[in-house]
Amino acid sequence: GFCFRPHGRDVQKHSVHTLVFRSLKRTHDMFVSDHAKPIALDDGSHKVKMGVKLKTEYGAVLHMPVLKEGKDRVSQLPGTMEGHQNDPEYLITGTHAYPSGPGVTLTADTKVHRNPSEGGVHSMALALPPSQARLDASRTAASIGDIQRHAGAERSHPQSTAVSLMEGGSTRNSTLMRKAPTMPKPQWHPPWKLFRVISGHLGWVRSIAVEPGNQWFVTGSADRTIKIWDLASGKLKLSLTGHISTVRGVAVSSRSPYLFSCGEDKQVKCWDLEYNKVIRHYHGHLSAVYDLDLHPTIDVLVTCSRDATARVWDIRTKANVHTLTGHTNTVATVRCQAAEPQIITGSHDSTIRLWDLIAGKTRATLTNHKKSVRTLVMHPRQYTFASGSADNIKQWMFPDGSFIQNLSGHNAIINTLAVNSDGVLVSGADNGTIHMWDWRTGYNFQRIHAAVQPGSLDSESGIFACVFDHSESRLITAEADKTIKVYKEDDTATEESHPVNWKPEILKRKRF
């Protein structure tokens, strides 16, 4: 269009193209001096960013829990605050954003506060020498002493307490002597010894299950067969053929005369043991099926696979009730229980997931492991479970998977875990070593490395699966030298002949 200037002369018309380029050039000339200059840091948004970063990346370790060494002294100290809060050394960490002193403003660090999780506190309360713990804590939060002082609380304290209050709780009065944290002594367990070697499979033995009546047990092997063995004599009762690849998982139902098997041929089969025939197939996995477990109280079967899913099947109708997705790599192991969470899975993506069976969704994801989680085991009596990985074995508390402790020292790829009601935890590794642990204290009371069967290479030493029979007096292992080995407790051993050599350096319990 035209634009009339006051003195009536037409402005020269240009194509839009030219105008745009002129405008571009002018803009460039205008800002050329600032070219590639970073934008000034906006304080507010930087704080928000750092806050988020702190919380997501360092949330778990932002506030080191403090030794609650005042618990036993509380009764002697009169004071108006409840519980152990009148103990000058019990520092509040991570409950509210407290300034570290009067008139001190909160920084980006101290604004982000988060309560330390229960399990974390208990497992780490032992971790630091007390003086260090106190320093760390006073860096992030004020001691009760400080708070009471700054609030100008006029309270009567016994002399010793008053002194340490004046010092901001930093000096030790001789009347307040610390008790060293005590570690419970591990329960004594007799050592286990090799009792029988059963051969018969022509390939690696990958999986074992003991039937509920404890008369026989089943093994699945890389020779594509499933073999049923007499538990008492170790004699072969039956071979079942039908899989066209390694049989990776077997399970015997306690609710029906059925045996379930899964394998690298993507097949999940249900065998009727009255006819020794396959009566059902469960179709759906897109890749090798690595493990399966039966639900103890409902007629469902859960399988997990290299396709990164676990699938829940209705045993009778063969329907795929749920596909549990979320893992980003092979799901190596799955376990079911009657209580919530009813399904837990461990995966090569190094996470463990606890699942809500009803909704078919993840309830919680545990990311503490750094390496593939190949095995999970539930404690038969307690509401706890353990997971095995090449970095270490971890124990967890249901229902949320709060961390209990690490069992370190089995430095190998752990393929299998088993635990009995006596509190003996067994870990079997890819290099053929077996470690025996006391469940409660994590004390490693025995290490076994059985010789391979004659004619095998030493490299064929490996444990793929291990399980206690129902009497819990036999431990059966499935091995890479194509044998099944049966261990039993050494009856001749006593506490004197095999003393507990307990050095509690496990005080340094690591979270990860």
Side-chain angles (χ1 to χ4, degrees):
F2 293 107
C3 163
F4 287 102
R5 292 274 170 92
H7 35 93
R9 195 170 44 113
D10 289 359
V11 171
Q12 189 185 356
K13 283 186 289 178
H14 285 293
S15 69
V16 176
H17 189 264
T18 318
L19 289 171
V20 166
F21 270 89
R22 271 195 196 167
S23 164
L24 260 178
K25 191 170 180 322
R26 285 188 192 132
T27 313
H28 179 265
D29 294 344
M30 202 162 159
F31 292 110
V32 72
S33 55
D34 295 335
H35 182 59
K37 255 197 201 160
I39 299 170
L41 199 62
D42 168 31
D43 221 23
S45 56
H46 180 66
K47 272 186 184 159
V48 171
K49 175 183 149 182
M50 293 317 283
V52 170
K53 197 162 184 170
L54 271 168
K55 196 163 207 161
T56 51
E57 296 199 15
Y58 304 107
V61 291
L62 209 54
H63 299 287
M64 299 298 277
V66 181
L67 276 164
K68 299 187 179 161
E69 59 219 344
K71 271 192 185 155
D72 44 357
R73 289 208 305 277
V74 167
S75 47
Q76 304 144 22
L77 297 177
T80 46
M81 291 179 105
E82 296 296 306
H84 50 220
Q85 295 205 338
N86 49 14
D87 173 8
E89 277 160 18
Y90 184 80
L91 310 182
I92 299 182
T93 65
T95 41
H96 296 289
Y98 284 115
S100 51
V104 177
T105 54
L106 290 177
T107 63
D109 303 306
T110 50
K111 266 182 195 161
V112 182
H113 275 256
R114 173 167 158 187
N115 289 343
S117 74
E118 228 11 76
V121 171
H122 294 324
S123 64
M124 288 171 78
L126 299 163
L128 299 169
S131 54
Q132 183 59 36
R134 215 165 329 113
L135 289 174
D136 276 21
S138 52
R139 225 175 277 141
T140 53
S143 69
I144 298 225
D146 290 343
I147 293 160
Q148 286 178 345
R149 234 175 345 157
H150 301 323
E154 285 87 22
R155 292 200 175 85
S156 60
H157 287 282
Q159 186 48 43
S160 63
T161 330
V163 173
S164 45
L165 273 175
M166 314 280 246
E167 303 294 323
S170 59
T171 50
R172 266 257 137 247
N173 217 298
S174 55
T175 48
L176 310 177
M177 282 309 288
R178 169 184 298 108
K179 278 221 314 278
T182 53
M183 289 294 283
K185 195 169 185 230
Q187 181 192 340
W188 181 79
H189 301 287
W192 292 68
K193 59 181 188 189
L194 184 59
F195 155 69
R196 175 177 284 143
V197 177
I198 302 171
S199 51
H201 273 299
L202 304 175
W204 289 354
V205 190
R206 295 298 309 226
S207 48
I208 323 178
V210 181
E211 64 99 14
N214 216 35
Q215 300 295 307
W216 46 266
F217 67 95
V218 205
T219 54
S221 160
D223 63 11
R224 310 191 294 280
T225 64
I226 297 166
K227 289 186 189 288
I228 297 180
W229 311 85
D230 185 62
L231 187 62
S233 66
K235 298 267 190 305
L236 179 63
K237 288 167 76 90
L238 186 66
S239 288
L240 301 172
T241 55
H243 277 284
I244 54 173
S245 190
T246 304
V247 183
R248 288 293 288 257
V250 285
V252 190
S253 172
S254 52
R255 298 165 58 85
S256 51
Y258 294 153
L259 161 69
F260 295 86
S261 64
C262 64
E264 292 181 5
D265 50 13
K266 311 181 205 176
Q267 296 184 19
V268 182
K269 295 177 187 281
C270 170
W271 305 76
D272 186 324
L273 294 174
E274 288 170 5
Y275 304 98
N276 301 330
K277 288 195 165 52
V278 176
I279 55 167
R280 299 192 184 108
H281 280 103
Y282 301 89
H283 290 289
H285 277 298
L286 310 175
S287 192
V289 188
Y290 277 12
D291 195 11
L292 81 173
D293 199 23
L294 292 160
H295 195 287
T297 54
I298 9 181
D299 285 322
V300 298
L301 163 72
V302 187
T303 55
C304 65
S305 161
R306 204 171 62 198
D307 63 15
T309 66
R311 288 174 193 260
V312 182
W313 309 92
D314 181 319
I315 289 175
R316 200 176 51 78
T317 65
K318 302 179 286 202
N320 182 357
V321 185
H322 285 305
T323 301
L324 307 178
T325 55
H327 283 297
T328 57
N329 205 331
T330 302
V331 187
T333 176
V334 61
R335 287 289 165 266
C336 296
Q337 61 178 356
E340 287 295 337
Q342 295 182 46
I343 300 175
I344 57 175
T345 54
S347 163
H348 288 312
D349 65 12
S350 78
T351 65
I352 298 161
R353 282 176 183 258
L354 314 182
W355 300 88
D356 179 338
L357 174 59
I358 314 300
K361 295 211 164 45
T362 304
R363 281 171 57 108
T365 307
L366 313 178
T367 56
N368 303 37
H369 278 295
K370 297 194 172 56
K371 299 265 169 53
S372 304
V373 180
R374 290 175 181 231
T375 175
L376 297 165
V377 68
M378 312 218 188
H379 193 286
R381 302 253 172 94
Q382 302 171 11
Y383 196 37
T384 55
F385 70 104
S387 57
S389 165
D391 51 10
N392 43 31
I393 299 165
K394 294 180 190 288
Q395 288 175 340
W396 314 84
M397 194 105 70
F398 285 125
D400 306 315
S402 42
F403 176 77
I404 303 171
Q405 64 180 355
N406 276 328
L407 277 52
S408 298
H410 199 169
N411 303 319
I413 295 169
I414 294 169
N415 281 328
T416 176
L417 293 171
V419 62
N420 67 13
S421 337
D422 200 26
V424 176
L425 175 69
V426 181
S427 55
D430 219 38
N431 60 5
T433 56
I434 299 173
H435 284 210
M436 306 276 192
W437 313 79
D438 175 49
W439 177 273
R440 190 175 59 114
T441 53
Y443 167 64
N444 176 206
F445 69 88
Q446 190 185 6
R447 298 181 174 191
I448 302 172
H449 192 169
V452 293
Q453 77 168 337
S456 301
L457 304 168
D458 285 343
S459 58
E460 284 193 294
S461 164
I463 318 285
F464 289 119
C466 66
V467 64
F468 285 102
D469 76 338
H470 293 296
S471 72
E472 303 191 328
S473 60
R474 298 282 180 271
L475 171 70
I476 312 168
T477 63
E479 313 215 351
D481 64 356
K482 310 182 180 74
T483 63
I484 298 145
K485 295 192 173 79
V486 185
Y487 293 84
K488 67 173 184 180
E489 287 181 336
D490 188 347
D491 310 328
T492 60
T494 61
E495 287 203 47
E496 287 68 50
S497 67
H498 291 77
V500 169
N501 174 22
W502 170 237
K503 296 193 187 65
E505 81 271 63
I506 298 177
L507 288 179
K508 300 229 176 346
R509 289 199 182 156
K510 293 195 286 293
R511 192 65 201 280
F512 287 90

